[in-house]
Amino acid sequence: DHLLHRSDMEYVKKRFGVVTLIVTLSQLLFLTMIISLCGFSTFASNPCIGPYPDALSNAGATNPYLIETEGQYWRFLTSPFIPASVIHFVLNSVVQLEVGAYLERQWGSCRWLAIYLFSGIGSVSFSCTLEKTEINVAG
């Protein structure tokens, strides 16, 4: 006997959206990996229960200095997938699994992912313009 039947899997696909689940799971993977390698920062450095900003930068978060001086433009694509903290991940996940999944069902997976990526790129660009010295995440 199978634990999940075909109809159960179809319900999950329709309810949550495959791409939304993949994006959310990738964010969980990134955060888990960063915390397991670098640990949690002090409350003063990251009050939302997360790693130090340097650890986020090393993982691919928005770092305007490195983008401008080192040409690390790949950060435009990695930053949207990196949550800054446990609380950030939980809140992002709730919104993504509700609103993101709804939009994925309405617009289709490819369109939803394109909008997500372009929004992330815009967020990184805006962040680099406003805060030249701060390490941020776009997710």
Side-chain angles (χ1 to χ4, degrees):
D1 288 341
H2 296 286
L3 293 175
L4 291 175
H5 298 303
R6 187 174 204 69
S7 61
D8 295 332
M9 291 303 292
E10 289 302 316
Y11 172 78
V12 170
K13 286 181 183 177
K14 289 178 184 175
R15 173 72 175 102
F16 293 110
V18 175
V19 175
T20 304
L21 282 172
I22 291 170
V23 167
T24 303
L25 290 174
S26 69
Q27 290 171 336
L28 177 62
L29 177 66
F30 266 117
L31 183 62
T32 304
M33 199 169 56
I34 296 166
I35 290 173
S36 67
L37 292 173
C38 304
F40 289 99
S41 74
T42 62
F43 185 77
S45 179
N46 190 340
C48 294
I49 312 168
Y52 284 96
D54 289 349
L56 293 170
S57 178
N58 290 338
T62 303
N63 186 328
Y65 177 79
L66 293 177
I67 291 172
E68 291 177 20
T69 61
E70 303 290 326
Q72 295 183 4
Y73 300 111
W74 50 269
R75 291 176 182 274
F76 283 91
L77 295 176
T78 56
S79 185
F81 294 96
I82 300 174
S85 67
V86 173
I87 293 173
H88 182 215
F89 170 74
V90 169
L91 295 175
N92 250 15
S93 296
V94 169
V95 172
Q96 279 176 182
L97 292 174
E98 287 299 320
V99 178
Y102 172 77
L103 294 175
E104 183 180 350
R105 288 190 305 273
Q106 297 299 311
W107 298 337
S109 297
C110 290
R111 186 176 291 161
W112 182 88
L113 183 60
I115 291 169
Y116 185 88
L117 289 174
F118 283 118
S119 298
I121 291 168
S123 178
V124 172
S125 301
F126 194 65
S127 176
C128 287
T129 303
L130 291 180
E131 294 289 339
K132 297 278 189 190
T133 59
E134 295 291 321
I135 296 169
N136 294 301
V137 294

